[in-house]
Amino acid sequence: MRHDEQVRLIKQLLAHLDAGTNVDAGGLRRCPTSVYTDPDQAQREWDEWFVGMPQLLGMSGDLPEAGSFLTNVDYGVPILATRDEAGTFRAFVNSCRHRGVIVESEERGTKRRFTCPFHAWTYDTAGALVGVPKPEHFGEIDTDCMGLRELPAEERHGLLFVDPSPGATLDLDHLLGEWFNDEFPTWKFGELELLTSDEYDTACNWKLAMDTFGETYHFTALHSETLALTFHGNVQCYDEEDHLHRMILCKRASDDMRHLPEDQWDITVAGLPGYWSFPNVILMPFEVGVFLVRAIPSATDPGRHVSKIDFYLRPEALARMAETSGSRTSPMWPPRWRRASAASSATRTTSPVPANSARPRAAWWSTSCSGATSRPCTTTTAPSARCSAWSPCHCSTGWVPRAREHHRTHRAPGRGSRSRHRQLHQRDAGRSVPGVHAR
């Protein structure tokens, strides 16, 4: 974001703080519950906004080198996205042209060839058919016509967009508008690397999740010992243009920024920007990276969705993590684990980056201690890239405020401190709201 725009927004935040106000919505709004529950509306949304529109599949850091790939099944069509040998981002229907079997079942990785497990038809990273066992049994095969079916795909501003409908037109000039197309390059998203990904399978409509992400009114009540320590609740900036929205959350660090000269003002210190890309994407840049949030609706149940949250960091932040911890890997994290919170209807799945990556898994955006089932904690030094007000809690919650009672239990030796730590988890879990707290 350009500095003059940062200064303008920070002045707005400070003005709201001084006046005790928030963005004026122009009056009260009534939203009928059918918006979240009507199956006919949900079907129209699915057909028009998800299957029928370009979707943000990830960021350039998800495909860091030639041969990188990722798969996706969120939008009704199995998708295989690759970076081909020339470095170009491409996407295909992840279905063999012989008998329709899923070709690649891994979530992500690096390969030069993709082989169907049924009859071993083989494709390269550009989707071309390069191998058929016993080709003489078929006669002459026109391999140019039998490659994987390609989907419209474009990499722009470090973002990977795919339209799940073959033959569709992918218009990012319209989807991102002049505003985001002008502002996104200033964030240099293309330099970021994937750290880790979280998923929350939740019993609520996807729009209800997006609504919740879009307000901080609940911070002082629901997140009184976590987010409310870092943010001023119910103080925001908000701008919109057609289907595009930008929101700035107000950090408590803005209190000190007013005493600095304006040329030292930084929007990622004073606030947390949130860019809303229609229909279901939020990009939130912070000091050393970005959070990517997507709410994926169920194709059949308007009362269910999956929230996906991906964490990306700048290479220098990852390097500082390695220097601080002495290693870029951590044996305390299993390859994949699931936890069903006793205090929520959500199921959280945390997916680390592949085993051949050197990056550790760390949930930097855990908002509260929602796990009634905790694991032994191991205190380590916080990465220098992280604000010094936070410290690691390697149980089920990720990062917790250093100054609060929760973290002080880590510093006291003996079994009693761990027992107290478990009590605090259970106490926080008891305050939760089903379907919201585990976010």
Side-chain angles (χ1 to χ4, degrees), residues 70-105:
L70 63 88
T71 59
N72 183 286
V73 293
D74 293 335
Y75 303 108
V77 175
I79 297 172
L80 170 63
T82 70
R83 192 171 298 285
D84 68 17
E85 296 302 317
T88 302
F89 166 56
R90 310 184 74 151
F92 310 92
V93 177
N94 187 13
S95 175
C96 183
R97 294 300 299 277
H98 179 214
R99 296 292 297 276
V101 173
I102 295 295
V103 175
E104 181 54 58
S105 58

Side-chain angles (χ1 to χ4, degrees), residues 48-267:
E48 298 177 18
W49 293 351
F50 293 95
V51 178
M53 280 189 63
Q55 302 298 327
L56 181 58
L57 211 63
M59 304 188 73
S60 296
D62 288 294
L63 301 175
E65 59 184 333
S68 300
F69 73 89
L70 63 88
T71 59
N72 183 286
V73 293
D74 293 335
Y75 303 108
V77 175
I79 297 172
L80 170 63
T82 70
R83 192 171 298 285
D84 68 17
E85 296 302 317
T88 302
F89 166 56
R90 310 184 74 151
F92 310 92
V93 177
N94 187 13
S95 175
C96 183
R97 294 300 299 277
H98 179 214
R99 296 292 297 276
V101 173
I102 295 295
V103 175
E104 181 54 58
S105 58
E106 295 294 324
E107 291 183 7
R108 62 179 67 240
T110 303
K111 289 183 178 180
R112 293 182 61 251
R113 297 288 186 265
F114 302 95
T115 300
C116 175
F118 197 2
H119 297 102
W121 281 37
T122 300
Y123 306 85
D124 65 12
T125 55
L129 178 64
V130 295
V132 176
K134 299 182 179 180
E136 66 278 6
H137 290 198
F138 292 88
E140 185 177 350
I141 299 177
D142 186 352
T143 57
D144 292 338
C145 296
M146 296 299 290
L148 295 176
R149 192 168 188 189
E150 192 153 11
L151 297 170
E154 183 176 340
E155 183 172 16
R156 185 183 291 194
H157 312 315
L159 308 174
L160 306 177
F161 290 93
V162 175
D163 195 307
S165 300
T169 300
L170 202 161
D171 185 0
L172 295 187
D173 290 338
H174 169 71
L175 183 65
L176 298 179
E178 182 178 351
W179 178 16
F180 285 7
N181 274 309
D182 177 65
E183 196 157 296
F184 278 4
T186 66
W187 291 108
K188 301 180 180 179
F189 292 142
E191 299 177 0
L192 304 179
E193 299 180 26
L194 177 67
L195 177 68
T196 189
S197 301
D198 282 358
E199 293 186 7
Y200 302 84
D201 186 342
T202 309
C204 78
N205 184 266
W206 70 277
K207 298 188 298 298
L208 183 59
M210 297 295 282
D211 292 347
T212 303
F213 288 137
E215 52 90 359
T216 62
Y217 181 46
H218 67 280
F219 276 19
T220 54
L222 188 61
H223 305 308
S224 60
E225 297 193 15
T226 50
L227 288 178
L229 302 178
T230 304
F231 293 91
H232 287 291
N234 212 34
V235 179
Q236 299 159 248
C237 294
Y238 183 80
D239 295 285
E240 64 178 329
E241 182 178 302
D242 297 325
H243 58 283
L244 305 175
H245 309 259
R246 184 186 63 195
M247 179 178 70
I248 312 292
L249 280 66
C250 185
K251 291 182 181 177
R252 295 189 180 275
S254 61
D255 299 339
D256 298 325
M257 190 160 290
R258 68 175 74 231
H259 305 300
L260 298 175
E262 289 184 3
D263 61 0
Q264 297 182 28
W265 286 12
D266 185 337
I267 194 64

Side-chain angles (χ1 to χ4, degrees), residues 272-429:
L272 177 65
Y275 293 90
W276 298 63
S277 178
F278 188 82
N280 66 326
V281 174
I282 311 173
L283 279 163
M284 294 183 287
F286 60 100
E287 296 92 324
V288 294
V290 68
F291 307 124
L292 169 59
V293 179
R294 289 164 292 173
I296 313 297
S298 165
T300 58
D301 182 0
R304 192 153 212 98
H305 86 285
V306 174
S307 285
K308 293 190 170 186
I309 306 176
D310 300 310
F311 307 80
Y312 301 83
L313 294 181
R314 301 201 176 280
E316 58 270 24
L318 290 168
R320 286 198 295 269
M321 288 178 63
E323 293 172 2
T324 304
S325 65
S327 172
R328 290 168 70 94
T329 59
S330 177
M332 69 183 65
W333 299 112
R336 188 176 183 90
W337 61 275
R338 293 178 179 268
R339 174 174 57 81
S341 171
S344 170
S345 59
T347 298
R348 175 187 179 198
T349 301
T350 303
S351 303
V353 293
N356 59 1
S357 171
R359 277 161 273 162
R361 178 205 170 286
W364 279 19
W365 199 44
S366 295
T367 59
S368 56
C369 296
S370 60
T373 302
S374 61
R375 295 186 290 141
C377 295
T378 302
T379 302
T380 63
T381 305
S384 56
R386 182 67 184 177
C387 171
S388 59
W390 292 70
S391 289
C393 163
H394 290 301
C395 49
S396 57
T397 60
W399 293 82
V400 295
R402 173 180 294 173
R404 303 302 295 181
E405 180 184 12
H406 184 126
H407 183 71
R408 286 201 294 269
T409 62
H410 287 274
R411 298 192 296 220
R415 295 181 61 184
S417 63
R418 288 192 175 178
S419 175
R420 175 59 177 154
H421 182 224
R422 285 192 293 272
Q423 293 172 11
L424 290 169
H425 274 291
Q426 294 165 358
R427 177 201 65 187
D428 289 348

